[in-house]
Structure formats: C-alpha cells, structure tokens
Amino acid sequence: MLGDDQADALTRIAVSGRMLDVLVGPAGAGKTTAMNALRRAWEAQHGSGSVVGLAPSAVAAQVLADDLGIATENTAKWWQNHLIHGTAFEAGQLVIIDEASLAGTLSLDRITHLAQDAGAKVLLVGDYAQLQSVDAGGAFAMIARDRADTPELVDVHRFTHAWEKTASLELRHGRTAAIDTYLAHQRIADGDAEAMTDAAYNAWRADRDAGLVSVLIAETHDDVTALNGRARADLILNKTLNPDREVELRDGTAAGVGDTIITRLNKRELRTLVGRDWVRNGDIWTVTAVGDDGTITIARDYGTGTTVGDDGTIKARRRGRRFGGSIVLPASYVAEHVDLGYAVTAYRAQGITTDSAHVLVEPTSTRETFYVAMTRGRHANHAYVTLDRADDHAQLHPGDDPHATARSVLYGVLQHSGAELSAHETIVAEQEQWGSIAQLAAEYETIAAAAQHDRWAALIRCSGLSDEQAESAIESEAFGPLAAELRRAEANHHNLDALLPRLVAARGFDDADDIAAVLHYRVERATGRPAGSGRTRKPTRLIAGLIP
C-alpha cells in the first residue's frame, strides 16, 4: 500500500508533462516502493518493457533490477553501448535513474538529451542530502531546489522506533537538536580513537554473533583496513577461519576460505556458468576456496565448499545467496581489486539496509556521511565519536581540543556540509559573493584605510601623546579599527583636530596595555551621535547609510 506522500508524488510525476522529473526521498522513505508502483502504472499505459532502469554504479543498477524486475544498466556502460552499438531510448519510455545524487552532471546531461530527442521521460530518484558524485556533480540537487513543486517523500518507514524517524530527518537537515535525542536514547558514545574503535568493533561483533545483519562504518580507508584485519584475526582465533591457505589482497590484508570480501572493479567477463551474475565494483562475496599452485578449477558452488585449482585465485559466492553460482577471480584481480568486507566507508554503505549500524565518527566527517551512516540500521544506529583527532573543519591550524565532547564534535559535523554545488550554482554564488554590498564595503574600507593611514598617524603624533606612546599606537593591531572610527567620527561632522587632543588629555595611559585600543573606545563613546544639535545638526555623511 502506498502512503499519501508516495501517491501524491507519483501522481504529480506521472501527469506532469515534463520530460525530466525528480523524486526526492530521505533514507528509508520508501523510494523503492514508490518506483515499483510507478513502473506498474507506466507499463499499464505504455506496455511491457516501457520502463528502463539506470544507476551510477553497477551494484546500484543490480539492486534496482532486483527491486523493480526490469532491465537495468549503469550509466557509464549504457553510454558506451550507445556509442558502440547504437543503444537508444524509444518514445513513451520512462527512464528511471536511481541514486541520481551520485551521478555526474555530464552523464545526466548526455542521457537526458538523448531521452528528449527520442520522446522518452526521465525520472531522477535520490536524495540531495546524501552523498554526492565523485565527478563534477550537483545537478540533482540544483533541479530539486530550483523547482517549487519538487515531489518529495516525507514519511520514513525504515526505523523500528518512532523517535528515530524524526531524529533522522533532523540529521538530514543539519538540525543540531538531533544530537540530544540520540544522546538521550544512549546511541552516542565518545572517547579517544582507540577506545571508540574498540567499542564500535565489539558492539558490531556482538550483533553479528547474535545473528543480526550489522554494518561497521568508518570514515577513513585506514580505519576500514585496520577493522577488517581485526575482524579476520578474531575469526581465525575462534576457529571460524583456517589461515593455512590464503592470498594477499590489495590493502595488504589476506583472505581465505570463509572470508567476506569486496570486489573493487567491474569485470563482466568474470561470470557464473549460466552467465547471469558477474563481478561488480562494490559487490560483497564469501570466499569458498583458495588455490596456490597455478591450476584453476571452475564449478558452480551449491554451498558445498567445492575445491578449485591451486593457482592463487579466489572462488567466490555472493553473500546471502545459498545457491549462488561460483566465480573464479584471477590472481591479478585479487591482488589489485579485492578488499576484506567486514567494515566499509559510508560511500559503500549508502543504499544498503541492515538490522543495526555501528559508526566511527571523526571530527572531519561531513553532515552527508554522518547522515548516511546513521540511517542504515532498522533497529539501532550507534555513533562512536572520536575526541582526540584534529578537526580541520573548525581550526586554521588543527590540533587536539581538550574540551571536546560528543556534542561539540557532532555539532561541527552537522554544520559542515560536503554537498557539491552544480557549475551553474557555483557561478551564481561567486557572483553574489563578489558583487555583494558586504564585499564592496570591505574593499572600500581597505582602500580608505590605506589612503588615509598617514593622515591619522600624523593626527595621533600631534594629539599630546609622547613620541613612544604615539609610535606604539600606530604600530598596534588596533590602529586599523581606530582609523575606521576616526573616519566615522569625521562623517558625523566632529572636528578631530580639536577632539582627539581633548580625549588624550582626559586621562593618562600608564595602565593601558594597548593605547590604540583605548583611544578607539574613547573616540567611539564621544562621537556616537552627530556633532551639533537642533537646526545646526547636519546629516551624517555616509554612503547608503553604511560607510563614510
């Protein structure tokens, strides 16, 4: 059954008359359910096969194919097929591009242009608040923000606890009140890096031992590698894995029979015997046999642990498919494109749903990575915040903060958006910044300060200060603000040649740490109002009421 928000969004998409539509939905809002309903309705109108699926990655395309039961492809391969084989769209087709926030702008532009020429309709599905493309991107977010009627799903269905639905949406928008909600429900721990790594790993392992599907997410590849090595070492210690026959992987770790691995490069020629499954970048597999003497034996794997030749290759079965076909990975592929798959980064985690998630949070994390990581688990999502790492978001010269807390670190994370603007939005933002009143006023003030420096320096030297005091004031960092205040006083029609000596003589400077700062205070107090009164008062000499 569709929710009201899903039905309303799909209705607006289906009858909008636009060639390009977008569907925005936060994590767990039922985008897949909505797309399935739209597919059925579209095919009822335009016939079987009238819906085409695309996604930025091969793994996402396969997920889309499994969810919707339609032919899918990743965008790069589809474009290659178009160039080589002439693959094209047809009039009346609906082209669904899932995870569109991860798609590069050039890729989207090419595909939508061809769809427009063919008379097809394109639907971009995704969430601008989640992770962005590694290529030049931002197009999905630009379109979603530019339209006043962008269809957006609002009801989150993923989470078991009602409070987590609301809290996840607050994270999505960077609202810091969510931090207290997660703290109140004991979902956040903090401490030094070693303690937090231990806590996250032990909690993840406890969930796995209890039979839950759990994901362990870290910010950096170094942390992921360390956690993977630790997980494998524990499996060897408890006799789950036998380390007698193993091969070295890309990141310096090793894998043997029973290990969980991730393949990092699309390789379509590495297929099962029936040819339906092939090796994708980001696929997670279970190792069923390891060879070391150069021979290869290929057989379908029915979960019996069939052996293969000893040639330095891995024979893998996709995780979760008890009777999945076997694929042999050549030794060269294993050495260059395979990692252990116990821990992952947020980029690898986007798009998956688990029972629980355990997230290592660094001060350098962005809002988008934190939001994605904290919305993977249906039943529980836990954050382990590292306090003894540098935060180069907030400090010019990063260093350890002895006063850091989980709340202060997460506040900084939610304030730091890593979302990329589109090229068009970047141009507009730069034009607005450099042509703004604030920028022009700052430039004007800088020019005026340089032009009148000698004049104000001469005034200070003649104000009654000793030579040493005058030079100290002129060399002070507070001289710039003092000069600006003198300009404002003059704009208020005060006679500074007469006023400044009186302010200097009013009280000595023996106890002053900074003479220029003291003079700035006295001038500001004495010249807050324009000179004169009644009919003799003259209007302030300010440009646009802002600057002298």
Side-chain angles (χ1 to χ4, degrees), residues 85 99 113 137 149 165 202 218 333 342 345 347 351 398 406 474 488 500:
H85 306 296
E99 298 287 359
H113 179 74
D149 60 345
K165 299 178 182 180
N202 290 330
Y333 185 96
Y342 301 105
T345 62
Y347 268 93
I474 294 169
R488 289 183 177 84
L500 191 59

mmCIF file of all heavy atoms in Angstrom, residues 85 99 113 137 149 165 202 218 333 342 345 347 351 398 406 474 488 500:
data_model
loop_
_atom_site.group_PDB
_atom_site.id
_atom_site.type_symbol
_atom_site.label_atom_id
_atom_site.label_comp_id
_atom_site.label_asym_id
_atom_site.label_seq_id
_atom_site.Cartn_x
_atom_site.Cartn_y
_atom_site.Cartn_z
ATOM 1 N N HIS A 85 27.126 0.377 -29.934
ATOM 2 C CA HIS A 85 26.075 -0.464 -30.502
ATOM 3 C C HIS A 85 24.827 0.314 -30.904
ATOM 4 O O HIS A 85 23.876 -0.283 -31.419
ATOM 5 C CB HIS A 85 25.678 -1.554 -29.502
ATOM 6 C CG HIS A 85 26.836 -2.380 -29.020
ATOM 7 N ND1 HIS A 85 27.579 -3.183 -29.857
ATOM 8 C CD2 HIS A 85 27.385 -2.507 -27.778
ATOM 9 C CE1 HIS A 85 28.531 -3.781 -29.159
ATOM 10 N NE2 HIS A 85 28.448 -3.390 -27.898
ATOM 11 N N GLU A 99 19.592 6.608 -7.396
ATOM 12 C CA GLU A 99 20.790 7.168 -6.747
ATOM 13 C C GLU A 99 21.349 8.315 -7.583
ATOM 14 O O GLU A 99 22.571 8.440 -7.775
ATOM 15 C CB GLU A 99 21.855 6.085 -6.546
ATOM 16 C CG GLU A 99 21.430 4.939 -5.650
ATOM 17 C CD GLU A 99 21.351 5.295 -4.175
ATOM 18 O OE1 GLU A 99 21.648 6.465 -3.826
ATOM 19 O OE2 GLU A 99 20.985 4.429 -3.375
ATOM 20 N N HIS A 113 19.472 14.295 -22.661
ATOM 21 C CA HIS A 113 19.414 14.855 -24.020
ATOM 22 C C HIS A 113 18.930 13.798 -25.014
ATOM 23 O O HIS A 113 18.072 14.076 -25.866
ATOM 24 C CB HIS A 113 20.792 15.376 -24.423
ATOM 25 C CG HIS A 113 20.846 15.947 -25.812
ATOM 26 N ND1 HIS A 113 20.287 17.172 -26.128
ATOM 27 C CD2 HIS A 113 21.363 15.461 -26.966
ATOM 28 C CE1 HIS A 113 20.471 17.413 -27.429
ATOM 29 N NE2 HIS A 113 21.118 16.387 -27.955
ATOM 30 N N GLY A 137 29.404 17.235 -10.029
ATOM 31 C CA GLY A 137 28.009 16.881 -9.791
ATOM 32 C C GLY A 137 27.182 18.068 -9.356
ATOM 33 O O GLY A 137 27.472 19.207 -9.696
ATOM 34 N N ASP A 149 7.729 22.841 -6.989
ATOM 35 C CA ASP A 149 6.805 21.724 -6.834
ATOM 36 C C ASP A 149 7.514 20.369 -6.890
ATOM 37 O O ASP A 149 6.931 19.376 -7.326
ATOM 38 C CB ASP A 149 5.735 21.776 -7.924
ATOM 39 C CG ASP A 149 6.326 21.704 -9.334
ATOM 40 O OD1 ASP A 149 7.548 21.903 -9.461
ATOM 41 O OD2 ASP A 149 5.571 21.461 -10.293
ATOM 42 N N LYS A 165 12.775 8.037 13.456
ATOM 43 C CA LYS A 165 12.304 8.597 12.192
ATOM 44 C C LYS A 165 12.485 10.120 12.200
ATOM 45 O O LYS A 165 13.030 10.702 11.261
ATOM 46 C CB LYS A 165 10.832 8.248 11.975
ATOM 47 C CG LYS A 165 10.536 6.767 11.893
ATOM 48 C CD LYS A 165 9.042 6.524 11.718
ATOM 49 C CE LYS A 165 8.720 5.034 11.686
ATOM 50 N NZ LYS A 165 7.277 4.786 11.510
ATOM 51 N N ASN A 202 33.459 -4.102 18.998
ATOM 52 C CA ASN A 202 32.878 -5.094 19.903
ATOM 53 C C ASN A 202 31.354 -5.122 19.807
ATOM 54 O O ASN A 202 30.733 -6.188 19.869
ATOM 55 C CB ASN A 202 33.319 -4.816 21.344
ATOM 56 C CG ASN A 202 34.792 -5.108 21.560
ATOM 57 O OD1 ASN A 202 35.371 -5.966 20.906
ATOM 58 N ND2 ASN A 202 35.422 -4.371 22.473
ATOM 59 N N ALA A 218 33.353 3.176 8.973
ATOM 60 C CA ALA A 218 34.429 4.063 9.417
ATOM 61 C C ALA A 218 34.632 5.175 8.399
ATOM 62 O O ALA A 218 34.255 5.046 7.234
ATOM 63 C CB ALA A 218 35.724 3.284 9.628
ATOM 64 N N TYR A 333 43.606 -10.037 -10.403
ATOM 65 C CA TYR A 333 42.450 -9.257 -9.933
ATOM 66 C C TYR A 333 42.417 -9.227 -8.408
ATOM 67 O O TYR A 333 42.181 -8.178 -7.798
ATOM 68 C CB TYR A 333 41.164 -9.870 -10.480
ATOM 69 C CG TYR A 333 39.918 -9.059 -10.159
ATOM 70 C CD1 TYR A 333 39.398 -8.151 -11.069
ATOM 71 C CD2 TYR A 333 39.286 -9.193 -8.929
ATOM 72 C CE1 TYR A 333 38.272 -7.394 -10.762
ATOM 73 C CE2 TYR A 333 38.168 -8.450 -8.615
ATOM 74 C CZ TYR A 333 37.660 -7.547 -9.538
ATOM 75 O OH TYR A 333 36.545 -6.792 -9.218
ATOM 76 N N TYR A 342 34.435 -6.678 5.934
ATOM 77 C CA TYR A 342 33.755 -6.635 7.227
ATOM 78 C C TYR A 342 33.378 -5.204 7.614
ATOM 79 O O TYR A 342 32.307 -4.956 8.147
ATOM 80 C CB TYR A 342 34.646 -7.270 8.305
ATOM 81 C CG TYR A 342 35.000 -8.700 8.008
ATOM 82 C CD1 TYR A 342 36.276 -9.047 7.556
ATOM 83 C CD2 TYR A 342 34.052 -9.701 8.147
ATOM 84 C CE1 TYR A 342 36.600 -10.361 7.266
ATOM 85 C CE2 TYR A 342 34.359 -11.027 7.847
ATOM 86 C CZ TYR A 342 35.636 -11.348 7.407
ATOM 87 O OH TYR A 342 35.941 -12.650 7.102
ATOM 88 N N THR A 345 33.286 2.060 4.252
ATOM 89 C CA THR A 345 33.088 3.504 4.374
ATOM 90 C C THR A 345 31.611 3.835 4.137
ATOM 91 O O THR A 345 30.838 2.984 3.679
ATOM 92 C CB THR A 345 33.939 4.269 3.352
ATOM 93 O OG1 THR A 345 33.515 3.891 2.034
ATOM 94 C CG2 THR A 345 35.418 3.966 3.526
ATOM 95 N N TYR A 347 30.404 5.649 1.822
ATOM 96 C CA TYR A 347 30.096 5.551 0.389
ATOM 97 C C TYR A 347 29.687 4.131 0.011
ATOM 98 O O TYR A 347 28.799 3.929 -0.808
ATOM 99 C CB TYR A 347 31.306 5.990 -0.445
ATOM 100 C CG TYR A 347 31.269 7.457 -0.803
ATOM 101 C CD1 TYR A 347 31.905 8.398 -0.008
ATOM 102 C CD2 TYR A 347 30.576 7.898 -1.924
ATOM 103 C CE1 TYR A 347 31.870 9.750 -0.322
ATOM 104 C CE2 TYR A 347 30.537 9.240 -2.254
ATOM 105 C CZ TYR A 347 31.182 10.161 -1.450
ATOM 106 O OH TYR A 347 31.116 11.497 -1.767
ATOM 107 N N GLY A 351 22.751 2.980 0.377
ATOM 108 C CA GLY A 351 21.912 2.100 -0.422
ATOM 109 C C GLY A 351 21.615 0.767 0.231
ATOM 110 O O GLY A 351 20.746 0.038 -0.243
ATOM 111 N N PRO A 398 44.809 22.826 12.776
ATOM 112 C CA PRO A 398 44.129 21.820 13.590
ATOM 113 C C PRO A 398 45.002 21.289 14.715
ATOM 114 O O PRO A 398 46.205 21.127 14.584
ATOM 115 C CB PRO A 398 43.806 20.707 12.588
ATOM 116 C CG PRO A 398 43.878 21.359 11.247
ATOM 117 C CD PRO A 398 44.881 22.443 11.361
ATOM 118 N N ALA A 406 31.252 14.740 22.711
ATOM 119 C CA ALA A 406 30.484 14.189 21.591
ATOM 120 C C ALA A 406 29.563 15.245 21.012
ATOM 121 O O ALA A 406 29.421 15.368 19.792
ATOM 122 C CB ALA A 406 29.677 12.979 22.059
ATOM 123 N N ILE A 474 50.462 53.607 16.714
ATOM 124 C CA ILE A 474 50.462 53.456 15.254
ATOM 125 C C ILE A 474 50.846 52.038 14.847
ATOM 126 O O ILE A 474 50.329 51.496 13.865
ATOM 127 C CB ILE A 474 51.418 54.490 14.620
ATOM 128 C CG1 ILE A 474 50.871 55.907 14.853
ATOM 129 C CG2 ILE A 474 51.607 54.232 13.126
ATOM 130 C CD1 ILE A 474 51.857 57.016 14.511
ATOM 131 N N ARG A 488 34.601 57.512 10.786
ATOM 132 C CA ARG A 488 33.164 57.609 11.090
ATOM 133 C C ARG A 488 32.861 58.880 11.903
ATOM 134 O O ARG A 488 31.823 59.516 11.707
ATOM 135 C CB ARG A 488 32.717 56.359 11.857
ATOM 136 C CG ARG A 488 32.680 55.115 10.982
ATOM 137 C CD ARG A 488 32.170 53.894 11.744
ATOM 138 N NE ARG A 488 32.073 52.747 10.863
ATOM 139 C CZ ARG A 488 33.068 51.934 10.544
ATOM 140 N NH1 ARG A 488 34.272 52.174 11.061
ATOM 141 N NH2 ARG A 488 32.905 50.924 9.729
ATOM 142 N N LEU A 500 40.512 64.997 19.386
ATOM 143 C CA LEU A 500 41.440 63.947 19.796
ATOM 144 C C LEU A 500 42.383 64.413 20.915
ATOM 145 O O LEU A 500 42.600 63.660 21.878
ATOM 146 C CB LEU A 500 42.227 63.434 18.596
ATOM 147 C CG LEU A 500 43.037 62.151 18.841
ATOM 148 C CD1 LEU A 500 42.117 61.011 19.281
ATOM 149 C CD2 LEU A 500 43.826 61.735 17.603
#
